[in-house]
Amino acid sequence: MFGRIDHVGLAVSDLEEAIDLHVNVYGLALVHRETVESQGVEAALLDVGENHVELLAPLHDDTPVGKFLAKRGPGMHHVAYEVADLPAAIDQLASDGAELIDEAPRKGLFGLQVAFVHPDSAHGVLSEIVTDGQ
Amino acid sequence: MFGRIDHVGLAVSDLEEAIDLHVNVYGLALVHRETVESQGVEAALLDVGENHVELLAPLHDDTPVGKFLAKRGPGMHHVAYEVADLPAAIDQLASDGAELIDEAPRKGLFGLQVAFVHPDSAHGVLSEIVTDGQ
């Protein structure tokens, strides 16, 4: 059902330093930046082959990424898998007993349509399924 | 320098349950299993497109993955990027100031040649670079 890893999401406290590492040391291409006030996040998207790295920095402490950083420190936040048909994938996961955070597709960062699977039903891994919303 | 995401490594406490989720719910193909006593780990490799998911379960509590689980619980453990020339990538990372756990390629799981970058120099992310050792 899952086509490939779309991206790994990394929670960082200093977005500029994290971009510098990924661009100037790892050699990835910075392709998008986006600030989403409603999610309290400033994000950067980098290409690595067909896959991506999504860097997430909180706009405030009282945001999902801010709370993640306060609890766990910077590090890996989630993994996202590409699916061809997001509504069908959501239905399939639900029927297989996965606990979905989003029971319908919603708009994620960078124009993607997304849904999240709760880490409690995925061995502690916040897991996202995405399809290209363009 | 980095070609694609080779895999995400997930630390799990129950390998059979984690395999079941990834094969029977996510639809990934289980391609290898391996127990490495010297690393204290039982591992499973699954294909997702050109990428992979590596499931890691500890053989004992007093192992790197066992200590990770005790400290953080199950979840995302590391991300691995594919590079064409591992020794050259190690040299480049070192000259750019990255703190390497492995200063020379070593044999990783599933026949890969690998080196790890310390999370302290990668925003809390245990990062691996790999090249196909076949």
Side-chain angles (χ1 to χ4, degrees), chain A residues 98-120:
Chain A
E99 183 185 344
L100 288 151
I101 295 172
D102 306 292
E103 295 181 354
R106 69 173 173 84
K107 186 181 173 188
L109 298 171
F110 309 115
L112 296 170
Q113 289 290 309
V114 311
F116 278 90
V117 179
H118 199 287
D120 283 354

Side-chain angles (χ1 to χ4, degrees), chain B residues 39-83:
Chain B
Q39 297 184 37
V41 71
E42 185 177 3
L45 190 73
L46 303 106
D47 282 351
V48 52
E50 280 194 313
N51 316 120
H52 314 278
V53 174
E54 188 178 277
L55 302 174
L56 305 167
L59 294 176
H60 320 285
D61 291 344
D62 188 25
T63 60
V65 176
K67 291 173 185 171
F68 179 96
L69 287 178
K71 185 175 179 184
R72 305 194 61 136
M76 302 186 77
H77 182 267
H78 67 271
V79 58
Y81 299 99
E82 184 268 338
V83 297

Side-chain angles (χ1 to χ4, degrees), chain B residues 25-120:
Chain B
V25 180
Y26 292 176
L28 310 194
L30 175 64
V31 288
H32 290 295
R33 292 188 66 150
E34 187 172 67
T35 298
V36 184
E37 292 283 349
S38 63
Q39 297 184 37
V41 71
E42 185 177 3
L45 190 73
L46 303 106
D47 282 351
V48 52
E50 280 194 313
N51 316 120
H52 314 278
V53 174
E54 188 178 277
L55 302 174
L56 305 167
L59 294 176
H60 320 285
D61 291 344
D62 188 25
T63 60
V65 176
K67 291 173 185 171
F68 179 96
L69 287 178
K71 185 175 179 184
R72 305 194 61 136
M76 302 186 77
H77 182 267
H78 67 271
V79 58
Y81 299 99
E82 184 268 338
V83 297
D85 185 333
L86 187 60
I90 290 172
D91 288 347
Q92 184 68 50
L93 289 171
S95 75
D96 286 332
E99 183 185 346
L100 289 150
I101 295 172
D102 305 293
E103 295 181 356
R106 68 174 174 84
K107 186 181 172 187
L109 298 171
F110 309 117
L112 296 171
Q113 289 290 310
V114 310
F116 279 90
V117 179
H118 198 287
D120 283 353

Side-chain angles (χ1 to χ4, degrees), chain A residues 14-94:
Chain A
D14 188 318
L15 187 62
E16 301 310 323
E17 282 187 7
I19 290 172
D20 180 62
L21 173 75
H22 286 81
V23 171
N24 294 320
V25 180
Y26 292 175
L28 310 193
L30 176 65
V31 288
H32 290 296
R33 292 188 66 150
E34 188 173 67
T35 297
V36 183
E37 292 282 350
S38 62
Q39 297 184 36
V41 71
E42 186 177 2
L45 190 73
L46 302 107
D47 282 352
V48 52
E50 280 194 314
N51 317 120
H52 313 279
V53 174
E54 188 177 277
L55 301 175
L56 305 167
L59 294 176
H60 319 286
D61 292 344
D62 188 25
T63 59
V65 176
K67 292 174 184 171
F68 179 96
L69 287 178
K71 185 175 178 185
R72 306 195 58 137
M76 301 186 77
H77 183 267
H78 67 270
V79 58
Y81 299 100
E82 182 269 338
V83 297
D85 184 334
L86 187 61
I90 290 171
D91 289 347
Q92 184 67 49
L93 289 172

